Amino acid sequence: QKEVEQDPGPLSVPEGAIVSLNCTYSNSAFQYFMWYRQYSRKGPELLMYTYSSGNKEDGRFTAQVDKSSKYISLFIRDSQPSDSATYLCAMSAGGNNRLAFGKGNQVVVIP
Amino acid sequence: DSGVTQTPKHLITATGQRVTLRCSPRSGDLSVYWYQQSLDQGLQFLIQYYNGEERAKGNILERFSAQQFPDLHSELNLSSLELGDSALYFCASSVRGSGTDGELFFGEGSRLTVL
């Protein structure tokens, strides 16, 4: 079982829809959870950063962490064509531990 | 623009050859990370350097090596290249030794094609 599972299937939604992405993980030591966004031919950039369980909201983006279920989610409200990108979840136990990334979800928002 | 510079952007070479990828971190960042990204494996951590010293090692093959120089730029050396080494290689940097108490800043990657 991989440390971080993210269904890499592409997702196409119409503009204005809610996008829902999620990852599951197996390492109970993970306590730092992030979502990175990667545009085509670019490097990943940090989108959301959450410590431990709970919700975090930033504009149209909401990150949720449920440590009891080892499940994290990213919601994008009122999606825009500019949100079309690959979204990667990442997590770590902290300290000198490396980030473990999911494979990424390609999201296409259709105008 | 993340401030992390990677060269070259594209590289095409033959099996058995050796290449060097270069990374200049953001000004002030002491840590450099190397990642390999492929469609089937996703983003795989290779190695991390902090202020010139190796800090952590991931799934890096013995044919690959890296170093961080006194001016903090880093090079990833890939030798005896195989077809399966074709991938995007990303460099990332962060201020501290751990990327988990701050964000990683990624370069735009070096796309390696091995023919």
Side-chain angles (χ1 to χ4, degrees):
Chain A
Q1 182 185 13
K2 286 180 72 76
E3 267 191 316
V4 180
E5 297 278 2
Q6 182 179 10
D7 183 354
L11 188 63
S12 289
V13 299
E15 183 175 353
I18 294 176
V19 176
S20 173
L21 305 171
N22 58 76
C23 290
T24 58
Y25 62 94
S26 58
N27 189 344
S28 57
F30 286 154
Q31 52 183 338
Y32 295 87
F33 303 93
M34 298 156 218
W35 287 93
Y36 278 79
R37 178 176 60 195
Q38 184 176 14
Y39 289 114
S40 180
R41 302 185 186 282
K42 298 288 186 184
E45 58 179 344
L46 183 65
L47 184 63
M48 298 286 283
Y49 182 102
T50 310
Y51 172 71
S52 195
S53 283
N55 294 358
K56 185 172 183 178
E57 193 171 313
D58 184 2
R60 297 183 295 107
F61 298 88
T62 300
Q64 289 184 350
V65 175
D66 181 351
K67 289 186 70 178
S68 62
S69 302
K70 297 191 180 67
Y71 187 91
I72 71 170
S73 301
L74 177 71
F75 299 96
I76 307 173
R77 290 185 301 281
D78 187 24
S79 57
Q80 304 295 308
S82 59
D83 296 326
S84 298
T86 296
Y87 292 82
L88 303 101
C89 61
M91 47 199 80
S92 170
N96 290 329
N97 287 281
R98 58 176 177 77
L99 281 181
F101 281 87
K103 283 191 177 182
N105 274 121
Q106 184 182 8
V107 173
V108 177
V109 181
I110 303 167
Chain B
D1 183 359
S2 67
V4 178
T5 304
Q6 287 188 249
T7 56
K9 286 191 172 5
H10 302 278
L11 195 54
I12 301 174
T13 189
T15 54
Q17 295 297 305
R18 171 190 168 95
V19 298
T20 297
L21 309 180
R22 182 188 168 99
C23 170
S24 293
R26 287 190 326 154
S27 177
D29 283 1
L30 300 178
S31 271
V32 169
Y33 307 75
W34 286 98
Y35 283 85
Q36 180 192 59
Q37 187 176 44
S38 61
L39 280 174
D40 57 339
Q41 293 294 320
L43 203 59
Q44 297 288 311
F45 169 70
L46 296 178
I47 197 164
Q48 178 203 353
Y49 280 82
Y50 176 75
N51 204 20
E53 299 290 325
E54 182 182 304
R55 174 63 67 94
K57 220 167 186 175
N59 301 322
I60 188 165
L61 299 172
E62 283 192 12
R63 300 183 286 109
F64 297 178
S65 65
Q67 54 185 326
Q68 185 179 28
F69 294 88
D71 67 352
L72 300 179
H73 91 271
S74 178
E75 293 181 355
L76 179 67
N77 301 295
L78 315 175
S79 62
S80 302
L81 285 168
E82 303 176 357
L83 295 178
D85 298 328
S86 296
L88 260 174
Y89 291 85
F90 284 104
C91 169
S93 72
S94 68
V95 173
R96 300 183 188 87
S98 165
T100 54
D101 55 357
E103 63 183 288
L104 293 187
F105 295 87
F106 283 83
E108 295 198 349
S110 293
R111 182 174 294 277
L112 173 66
T113 303
V114 182
L115 301 176

